[in-house]
Each structure stands twice: as structure tokens, then as C-alpha cells.
Amino acid sequence: MARLGALLLVAALGALLSFALLATAVGSNYWYLLEVAATGNQTGLPGPLASHSGLWHICEGQDSCIPLIDPFASESLDVSTPVQHLLSLHRAVMVVLPLSLILIACGWMCGLLGSLAQSVPLLLFTGCHFLLGGALTLAGTSIYIRYSDLAFAETARQYGARHVQHVRVGFGWSVALAWGSCASEALSGTLLLAAARALSLSRRPGAPHSVVI
């Protein structure tokens, strides 16, 4: 059926797009943006200070990036309870989002096999697999946003609100890519479930038969 072929094709393209978006997001350094207004700049340098960070690095300017503290190597540090909570959230993000990438790659291969074999169970499994991956990406991105908000609040608590009143924070295009990947995963999963249903209906007695090329 032409409809079945279209569903499978769009699902495959959606999965590829989802992988590309999430891989770009995970490897980029524009998840969190921070800017100190010129009125709050106490360094003597002209203009505002700005930095941007990702899951692995924090960057000031164009090329000066340094690695973030490894949250897995910080488990034995003697830190306060709020900081321990922040480290646990950071660990969760660094596990969940790469794991979602692996799930997308595995799901794409399963979907390809299911399409070639015209297997309803495999298409159903792959559709659920992509929906789970989308939920995982959603969870990882949401945890990162929560982690960033708590980290800024903890910084304000430790150094005083007066020291951060000129600081503006926000989220960059990396977060937008992660949201796009989540939506694309969910779309691919839904289309695969629809394709599995269409294939199942086409095999019922009395249904018209056609060959998908």
C-alpha cells in the first residue's frame, strides 16, 4: 500500500532527524547562557561579560572552553546537601540524554528490519521504542532545566542576591534542538504504530492486497 510506504518513509526520516538534532544538542555548548550586564561588571573590562555552557564544557568568549566538574568523580566530595542534589541531577542528565541517542540508533535499525520484513510485531515494538526514547529525551531535557534553575538559585543563596542582580540567564539553541528531537521521536513512534495497524488491517481476510515496493 502506498499509505503504508509513506508512513514508514516519514517515520524513518523523522528518526534520522531526531538523532541528528539530539547528537548536535548533546555535543554543543549552548544549553545555558549567562550574561552580566555592563552595570554589574566589576572586572574593569568594557561591555558585558557573557558565557555559555553545555553538558560537558563552559565557554567564555569564542574559544576559551573548560570542562565542567565531573559529577561522577565528585560523589566522594564533602559538599552540602543542595550541592549533592545538583550533582545528582547533573549525573542524571549525562546518562539519560546519551542513552536516548543509543535508543534512537537501535530503534532505527529495528524499524528498518520491521519495514523490510513487513512484521507487525516488530513495527509495534519499534513504535513503542521510539515513544519511550522521546519520553527519555523529554525527561533529560526537563531535568537539565531544573538543574540549571537550582544551580542559579544556589549561587544566589551562597553569594547573596546583590551579586547576581545584574546577571541574566537563559537557555540557548541546544535546548531547542533537544525539544525538536523529542517531538521527532514521538512523531516517528506514532507513525510506526499507525503503519503497524495499517499492515495488520491489510492482512485481514477480505482486505485488498497490494505489494509495497
Side-chain angles (χ1 to χ4, degrees), residues 104 118 191:
I104 295 174
Q118 297 286 288
L191 291 176

Side-chain angles (χ1 to χ4, degrees), residues 29-33 52-53 144 170-179:
N29 294 316
Y30 286 87
W31 284 76
Y32 194 67
L33 309 177
H52 53 91
S53 59
Y144 180 84
F171 299 98
W173 52 263
S174 299
V175 174
L177 292 184
W179 287 126

Side-chain angles (χ1 to χ4, degrees), residues 51 56 77 121 165:
S51 68
W56 324 99
L77 294 180
Q165 62 180 343

Side-chain angles (χ1 to χ4, degrees), residues 16 61 74 150 163 184 205:
L16 288 175
S74 307
L150 289 178
H163 290 83
S184 187

Side-chain angles (χ1 to χ4, degrees), residues 32-116:
Y32 194 67
L33 309 177
L34 184 146
E35 180 178 315
V36 181
T39 54
N41 183 356
Q42 300 178 0
T43 64
L45 298 175
L49 297 176
S51 68
H52 53 91
S53 59
L55 305 183
W56 324 99
H57 298 88
I58 182 170
C59 305
E60 296 181 359
Q62 295 296 325
D63 301 313
S64 55
C65 297
I66 58 174
L68 292 172
I69 297 176
D70 185 357
F72 298 98
S74 307
E75 293 182 354
S76 59
L77 294 180
D78 185 17
V79 294
S80 63
T81 300
V83 175
Q84 288 179 354
H85 181 55
L86 288 174
L87 291 173
S88 66
L89 290 178
H90 194 190
R91 284 193 291 269
V93 173
M94 294 179 71
V95 169
V96 169
L97 291 179
L99 178 60
S100 184
L101 268 178
I102 297 173
L103 288 180
I104 295 174
C106 294
W108 196 89
M109 290 186 289
C110 290
L112 179 62
L113 291 175
S115 301
L116 294 176

